[in-house]
Amino acid sequence: MNESQDEKDVKPTPSNGKLNISRRNVIKGIGAVSVLGTFGYQFSKSLALKKEAKKDILSQLGFSNTIPDILPTNKFGEKSEILRIGIIGTGPRGMDLLDSLGYRTQKKIDKISKENISDIENWGRTEDLNVRLIGVCDIFDEHANTAVDASKHSRLTYSNRGSLKGATRYKHYQELLDNKDIDAVIIATPDHHHAQMTIDAIKAGKHVYCEKSLCRTEEELFKVESAVKESNCVFQLGHQLSHSPVFKRAKDLVNQNILGPVTLVETTTNRNTSSGAWNRDKNNDGSLKSGTPETIDWDQWLGNSPKIPFSLDRYYGWTKWFDYGNGPWGQLFSHEYDAINGLLDIGIPKTCVASGGVYYWKDGRETPDTFNAVFEYPNKELSLLYSLSLSNSNSRGRVIMGRDATMKLGGSLIVTADASSERYKEHIESGNLDLTTPMITFGPEDPNVDGVSSATAQYYADRGLSKSTINGQSIDLTYLHLKDWLNVIRYGGTTTCNIDVSVSEMVTILMATKSFRENRKVTWDSLNRKIV
């Protein structure tokens, strides 16, 4: 993800009618019925008293109120074959991915065993993915050594305190790819390496899980697309929101057209910490983080980007420069696009206008700390607005606006009927739909289950991008996304974030980059597949 604040401050818009407290409570309870038994919501006392007098509001409106499958059972029966994995890039996100695969350092196991025993127990009892981590590559010795340590301690060995042989450390990713025993690779490097590493891995016959964003340029994008499509390798881009039970419920509601025609979508990012603005070369006490020219292979890290002297600021905060990625929207808007495209299947926009600037973090960065983009979809008859601030933490959320209702989607889901809806007019006028409360609410039973330890982690948790809760158990969405990739490798099918989905996302991101950097409106030429 490299990197998840939103719906906590959302308030429904009051109606102009008189407030009927008992009816409000009744409808609030009815809105929660869709998650009863799956997320443990409680009926309100007023619903309990009046349940004979009221029916489920969705059924009254003519919609299905069934819960989509959250955790599909293993329909394949027999135990899956072992897949041997290599990982390229073992910084914070790389280590998160290893954790989801089932590997933790002994230090982390010991620490969490003392501080959060429920987390370690939950991790230990999660279904094993039947993979073996046998190759680790990082240009920073410290990160590589940490990953090798983790490779010796899987969830399978946790209960008996045993250990595994551990992975081989490689200093050059090509050497890892030369290992014929490795079936699949995870790429979790800075973005400027993603395209070439993916192409080289595909050519080496490895299945690929690549963290977003997929590349830096149009040229890179279509080279990756060709490499994947001309191979028999399974590709997955690193997004995981689609596996969230909240997203699945949202998708079900959108498919039933509960919102009516959607013409406007607004999605946002607000963060107000130094780390959230990618100033990450210092520890909390102000001291510099580890890393020197002797322990970091700087030439390898730079790759094909311009040669410059060693810089810890660039190593840890590479998002601040266009040489290494597509700025904050390449990291943060990519999640928003993934969510909206997953819900509405919007694809590539026709046009984009982007603007912004460096208005607060005047630290030598190139990429803006304040950014806005408007994407037009005339064929879908809608506009997508994205707005970002890295110097304010106001929670604005992710909002899908339809003619009949509005959906607010993050770690939880809220659907509110529109006061002017012709479709729901009869139910609104009769009081069956009380506009002072949401018509549908849906969310995890314990909003604090993540036990997040930083503002950045809180951002992802609040937006539903990291974990959720199902039947009292914390569910790691990255785990489910990796499992999706591994299942397709083993049994066939199509991954959730396949190459076609990835290309649509990356073109959209590159349109924003081109518009911002050239200070003009850009258009997608679908015939020639080019941004003009």
Side-chain angles (χ1 to χ4, degrees), residues 14 140 161 317 424 430 456 474 484 520:
F140 185 12
R161 304 291 288 181
Y424 302 141
S430 70
T456 299
S474 175
D484 176 62
R520 67 180 181 88

Side-chain angles (χ1 to χ4, degrees), residues 184-293:
V185 297
I186 293 171
I187 299 171
T189 63
D191 290 5
H192 64 295
H193 291 295
H194 287 180
Q196 192 60 55
M197 288 181 175
T198 296
I199 292 169
D200 290 345
I202 293 291
K203 288 182 177 179
K206 316 297 186 188
H207 305 290
V208 175
Y209 181 108
C210 182
E211 269 303 327
K212 56 84 187 154
S213 291
L214 182 55
C215 61
R216 283 186 58 252
T217 67
E218 287 181 75
E219 181 182 10
E220 288 180 341
L221 174 61
F222 297 118
K223 285 181 178 179
V224 173
E225 180 188 38
S226 294
V228 173
K229 290 198 167 186
E230 291 169 5
S231 76
N232 293 318
C233 298
V234 175
F235 176 83
Q236 178 87 296
L237 189 68
H239 287 297
Q240 58 276 351
L241 178 62
S242 60
H243 304 284
S244 161
V246 174
F247 178 89
K248 288 179 181 288
R249 181 58 167 159
K251 179 70 171 174
D252 176 63
L253 296 173
V254 167
N255 287 344
Q256 293 190 62
N257 197 31
I258 280 176
L259 304 181
V262 174
T263 57
L264 182 61
V265 178
E266 292 184 355
T267 185
T268 61
T269 296
N270 276 58
R271 308 206 306 197
N272 194 14
T273 64
S274 184
S275 177
W278 285 280
N279 297 308
R280 299 179 176 178
D281 59 331
K282 294 182 175 64
N283 298 306
N284 292 336
D285 62 4
S287 62
L288 285 175
K289 286 185 177 178
S290 58
T292 66

Side-chain angles (χ1 to χ4, degrees), residues 103 131-133 150-154 156-157 162-167:
Y103 291 91
V131 298
R132 299 295 178 268
L133 179 61
S151 73
K152 299 176 182 179
H153 308 286
S154 75
L156 289 179
T157 63
S163 63
L164 303 171
K165 177 183 176 182

